[in-house]
Amino acid sequence: MTIKDTAEEWEIRATETPFTGNKTSVRTDEVVMPDGTVVRRDYQVHPGSVAVLALDDEGRVLVIRQYRHPVRQKLWEIPAGLLDVPGENPLHAAQRELYEEAHVKAEDWRVLTDVYTTPGGCDEAVRIFLARDLSEAEGERFAVEHEEIDLEYERVPVDELVRGVLAGELHNNCLVVGVLSLVAAQSSEGLDALRPAEAPWPARPFEA
């Protein structure tokens, strides 16, 4: 038996959008259950995101410390951002985020993993890229604002990040999934066996 997620859509009798925000909204669907009953399901509609696990030649990961108001914590994270333009190529978005948040560029890009962050209450899909062969980006640094004004940067060995994840000290979804996926790939077929950067992404289709 192949363990694989599959596309499926149950009948929706009615839908409404009681809240629309700057980047996301809340939708309420009346969904028909397998026994014929109809229930309301509220969820956040999200454009999708990309994240970048940038690995340098010394086996360290570029991480950023940023304030996240909903959880009232400063979290260590990997560079990430929204897919602001519908149908945007996720690789291009990831390259932009790495430049804007860390002023870094990479020559080697691969897909590390694809995840739904909280599928029980949000349709956000994230593609996490592995970026290698890093160097300082050219030109002026991107002008930051809001929470990004207070960013802190570090390059941390993979083993130290794994220790922090398992100790319950690191909580950011993309960092946790990205780091553990990296270790799994290294111990399996190797990083060069990862999917190419332009691999199809059914959750957020895009033009190559």
Side-chain angles (χ1 to χ4, degrees):
M1 178 180 179
T2 300
I3 304 299
K4 181 179 179 180
D5 296 335
T6 56
E8 185 169 340
E9 186 169 354
W10 293 359
E11 180 185 353
I12 298 172
R13 292 282 174 85
T15 186
E16 60 179 308
T17 305
F19 170 79
T20 301
N22 185 32
K23 297 292 185 181
T24 67
S25 60
V26 173
R27 181 176 296 161
T28 299
D29 290 340
E30 295 185 4
V31 186
V32 180
M33 297 290 107
D35 64 357
T37 59
V38 178
V39 301
R40 293 170 63 89
R41 290 290 178 259
D42 304 318
Y43 58 100
Q44 182 185 21
V45 178
H46 194 286
S49 306
V50 292
V52 184
L53 193 146
L55 184 68
D56 69 16
D57 293 338
E58 297 179 36
R60 302 174 302 173
V61 176
L62 171 64
V63 290
I64 299 169
R65 191 171 183 236
Q66 182 170 351
Y67 176 67
R68 293 301 186 182
H69 186 70
V71 296
R72 309 299 198 274
Q73 290 193 22
K74 275 192 169 182
L75 301 180
W76 286 105
E77 308 178 350
I78 57 177
L82 297 175
L83 289 168
D84 294 314
V85 181
E88 181 178 17
N89 186 306
L91 173 60
H92 299 166
Q95 292 169 331
R96 180 188 69 236
E97 292 299 332
L98 185 61
Y99 163 72
E100 291 182 356
E101 293 195 357
H103 201 66
V104 168
K105 65 179 181 179
E107 298 302 324
D108 187 278
W109 290 83
R110 296 173 190 274
V111 175
L112 188 53
T113 192
D114 299 323
V115 295
Y116 292 113
T117 54
T118 48
C122 179
D123 71 350
E124 180 183 12
V126 181
R127 168 156 281 188
I128 304 176
F129 289 90
L130 172 67
R132 293 183 292 174
D133 195 2
L134 310 180
S135 62
E136 189 79 4
E138 301 173 355
E140 297 183 5
R141 296 189 70 93
F142 183 76
V144 298
E145 60 182 359
H146 307 309
E147 289 91 345
E148 294 180 347
I149 294 174
D150 196 34
L151 291 183
E152 301 172 47
Y153 304 87
E154 293 289 346
R155 294 195 182 198
V156 181
V158 173
D159 289 348
E160 176 60 19
L161 293 175
V162 171
R163 185 207 63 77
V165 168
L166 299 180
E169 299 169 354
L170 300 171
H171 307 89
N172 175 263
N173 182 290
C174 291
L175 184 147
V176 171
V177 173
V179 167
L180 298 185
S181 295
L182 174 72
V183 173
Q186 289 173 325
S187 64
S188 181
E189 298 181 22
L191 301 183
D192 290 336
L194 290 169
R195 287 173 291 161
E198 297 277 9
W201 188 19
R204 293 293 185 273
F206 62 93
E207 294 291 335

